[in-house]
Amino acid sequence: MILNLENLANLPEGVRGPNYNRAALSAGIVHIGLGNFHRAHQAWYLHRLMDTGRAHDWAIVGAGVRAADAAQREKLLAQDCLTTLIELDPSGKSAEVTGSMIDFVPVAENNEPLVAQMVDPAIRIVALTVTEGGYYQTADGALDTEHADIQHDAANPGAPRTAFGAIIAALKLRRAAGTGPFTCQSCDNLQGNGDILRDVILGLSGMSDAGLADWIGQNVTFPNSMVDCIVPATGPNELMLARGFGLEDNVPVTHENFRQWVIEDKFCAGRPDWDKVGATFTHDVHAFESMKLRLLNAGHQIIATPGELLSLDTIADSMANPLIAALFHKVEADEIAPHVTAVTGMTPLDYVELIQGRFANPEIRDTTRRVAFDGSSRHQGFLHPIIRDAIADGTALDGLALVEALWARMCAGTREDGSQIEPNDPFWDDLVKTAQAAKTTPQDWLAQEQFYGDLGQDQRFSNRFAHWLSLVWDQGTEAALRSYLES
């Protein structure tokens, strides 16, 4: 059955559909960067809330600022913005059609349609999932004011190129019209994601209009949040899974049987009651997000890099490798957990056991390539802060140094079987060149201050990194893992 509104009332047996009148929904949220994660996570919470009879004036309008977003828009509009979600539980799969998204803004070079949509007074939240590397940050976390996109938007605030410039343009028009602000909500895997978004918006707006920046700082809120759900990319296998449920969906989404959303309750223009369907509102997100980012997101990088080097296709395949599974558990328990604070109902070691089972789920075909993508951003965001804490506290960091060495080896561009690793980072060409030089001079890798800052100047970390990189090149990944595990 082709997925669209006309067929929504006749979904195949066993497929759950919306329990609300789609025609009665009206927009309240614009979401920029509408990929698989958003549809499996934030949009699902809103969909389930709508099922209870609430939040029918909070429907989502999708948006994007990249050329690829135009293709996503066409696919979603062709099926009336409905999405098939397929839960991959080892005990059995299930499918659900969600309808909380009702439109997708046309993609344009100057983002005029996006700005116009955000100016609508009905829009009270503008949310984003633009990836960890999409916030134009330098290695020390400041706004990269020298980046060409930022320079362009500062010089041309009426024709912005970035999502952030578009948000600023919309807020300027709303201030002039007296319609008030909207909440800016980051849903990316960044610690203090709301604070980071606030810094970008205030920094960029201040480059062209200090008065507007002051108004935004006084009126707009930027709640921090922690999001957690493993959502693989969509490929031929996912399309076939949807067909197995009797649905022809061009953009289905698969996901694990676990979700968590912890949100700082700081919304200047109202919000849906997501807590009625399992989300947590709090005034202290930090402990939750620190646990997740340091154990799950950093853990993903611990697994994916050796998995890529050993030609293992998925995260589950990597966890089935005894050496990688042992590396994951030892680094997490001995070197990361000591720098993580417990939250209500969960200790760091309990969380390690939880995510170990989630990563090993064979039904989740989350590729090592997807998880290893944009390592320059993910290592910098997830692993390097832990290394800094280990240096400051004098705690163990040998496994963390090994993980960085494995990443440097991976960036040389070949797996251990000799096969080529396709470009997998925005800075891939530079990383490959540096990784190949680091084969003989390991310090060249740590000298990349744009990623490592001053970490390479710490002798203990630098020495262990050099030891592991030399061992990986001389004897291979498995030999290095065994050496670490036996130490």
Side-chain angles (χ1 to χ4, degrees):
M1 189 193 81
I2 295 174
L3 183 62
N4 56 32
L5 279 177
E6 183 179 351
N7 294 328
L8 191 57
N10 301 301
L11 292 175
E13 185 177 354
V15 177
R16 174 179 174 149
N19 292 321
Y20 45 87
N21 178 6
R22 191 81 180 314
L25 302 182
S26 59
I29 299 171
V30 168
H31 191 96
I32 303 172
L34 202 140
N36 281 13
F37 182 79
H38 167 73
R39 291 186 290 145
H41 196 266
Q42 298 94 19
W44 176 87
Y45 279 96
L46 185 58
H47 159 74
R48 285 297 183 91
L49 184 60
M50 289 174 168
D51 266 355
T52 71
R54 300 177 175 91
H56 290 184
D57 61 341
W58 283 102
I60 297 163
V61 175
V65 297
R66 304 170 305 137
D69 293 316
Q72 179 81 329
R73 176 178 185 267
E74 288 184 14
K75 291 177 181 178
L76 282 166
L77 289 180
Q79 55 195 54
D80 299 313
C81 296
L82 299 170
T83 291
T84 304
L85 295 184
I86 302 170
E87 184 177 281
L88 302 177
D89 190 318
S91 64
K93 303 178 183 69
S94 60
E96 175 175 10
V97 172
T98 64
S100 55
M101 178 184 173
I102 60 173
D103 201 359
F104 202 123
V105 177
V107 179
E109 186 175 352
N110 64 358
N111 288 306
E112 185 176 346
L114 172 57
V115 173
Q117 182 67 63
M118 292 188 290
V119 169
D120 183 347
I123 299 303
R124 286 150 286 164
I125 295 174
V126 172
L128 304 94
T129 42
V130 294
T131 77
E132 298 86 358
Y135 286 78
Y136 296 94
Q137 290 181 287
T138 61
D140 60 3
L143 176 65
D144 184 1
T145 56
E146 299 303 314
H147 194 285
D149 291 345
I150 298 300
Q151 289 278 324
H152 173 275
D153 283 8
N156 304 277
R161 180 181 294 169
T162 71
F164 311 109
I167 289 171
I168 293 165
L171 287 170
K172 181 176 183 177
L173 292 171
R174 288 175 72 119
R175 180 185 64 159
T179 52
F182 47 67
T183 296
C184 295
Q185 184 181 25
S186 170
C187 298
D188 281 301
N189 282 316
L190 292 162
Q191 188 158 342
N193 54 12
D195 296 335
I196 290 170
L197 176 57
R198 185 178 191 273
D199 289 346
V200 174
I201 295 295
L202 294 185
L204 178 54
S205 59
M207 291 172 69
S208 59
D209 189 334
L212 176 61
D214 288 343
W215 181 86
I216 292 172
Q218 293 170 17
N219 293 277
V220 178
T221 52
F222 301 84
N224 292 303
S225 66
M226 185 275 282
V227 295
D228 191 2
C229 184
I230 296 173
V231 183
T234 295
N237 183 64
E238 287 70 30
L239 295 172
M240 289 302 298
L241 282 173
R243 293 181 188 125
F245 283 98
L247 290 167
E248 190 68 32
D249 183 337
N250 286 321
V251 278
V253 177
T254 59
H255 61 92
E256 65 171 330
N257 58 335
F258 178 91
R259 284 186 184 87
Q260 189 177 21
W261 195 10
V262 182
I263 315 163
E264 186 179 15
D265 199 359
K266 192 168 67 174
F267 291 77
C268 63
R271 59 162 174 78
D273 293 328
W274 287 304
D275 54 319
K276 304 296 185 185
V277 286
T280 299
F281 283 112
T282 180
H283 291 291
D284 182 16
V285 176
H286 178 74
F288 289 92
E289 65 182 359
S290 179
M291 177 177 283
K292 189 259 179 174
L293 295 173
R294 290 190 165 209
L295 292 173
L296 188 146
N297 292 100
H300 251 158
Q301 300 310 303
I302 293 169
I303 298 164
T305 306
E308 183 73 280
L309 287 170
L310 296 176
S311 302
L312 299 169
D313 289 338
T314 70
I315 293 300
D317 292 339
S318 300
M319 288 298 287
N321 178 294
L323 291 174
I324 295 178
L327 170 75
F328 167 80
H329 196 276
K330 182 175 173 64
V331 176
E332 292 267 301
D334 294 354
E335 302 189 20
I336 300 180
H339 303 289
V340 177
T341 303
V343 299
T344 303
M346 185 73 69
T347 68
L349 291 180
D350 288 338
Y351 193 65
V352 171
E353 298 301 323
L354 171 66
I355 59 177
Q356 184 162 336
R358 292 168 61 190
F359 288 166
N361 182 351
E363 297 294 335
I364 298 290
R365 292 199 56 79
D366 202 8
T367 65
T368 53
R369 177 175 174 79
R370 186 199 75 84
V371 174
F373 176 76
D374 198 8
S376 60
S377 172
R378 294 180 176 184
H379 279 250
Q380 182 181 338
F382 303 144
L383 287 160
H384 296 178
I386 304 167
I387 296 171
R388 292 183 185 282
D389 286 350
I391 290 171
D393 297 344
T395 55
L397 53 67
D398 212 28
L400 293 165
L402 170 57
V403 171
E404 292 304 297
L406 290 169
W407 179 46
R409 167 64 183 86
M410 188 197 84
C411 289
T414 58
R415 300 178 185 87
E416 293 200 345
D417 62 8
S419 60
Q420 196 81 15
I421 298 174
E422 295 300 317
N424 201 24
D425 193 286
F427 304 101
W428 185 251
D429 290 344
D430 290 339
L431 289 170
V432 170
K433 181 179 178 180
T434 306
Q436 291 172 351
K439 181 177 179 179
T440 53
T441 314
Q443 188 60 35
D444 285 357
W445 184 260
L446 299 183
Q448 298 177 104
E449 292 185 359
Q450 68 272 37
F451 306 132
Y452 284 95
D454 60 357
L455 280 178
Q457 299 173 25
D458 181 81
Q459 188 171 8
R460 183 166 67 112
F461 173 64
S462 177
N463 287 346
R464 296 314 295 164
F465 171 85
H467 165 79
W468 290 121
L469 185 58
S470 296
L471 184 58
V472 170
W473 274 115
D474 291 345
Q475 300 182 34
T477 296
E478 291 187 340
L481 296 184
R482 287 193 189 95
S483 178
Y484 168 69
L485 294 170
E486 293 169 0
S487 64

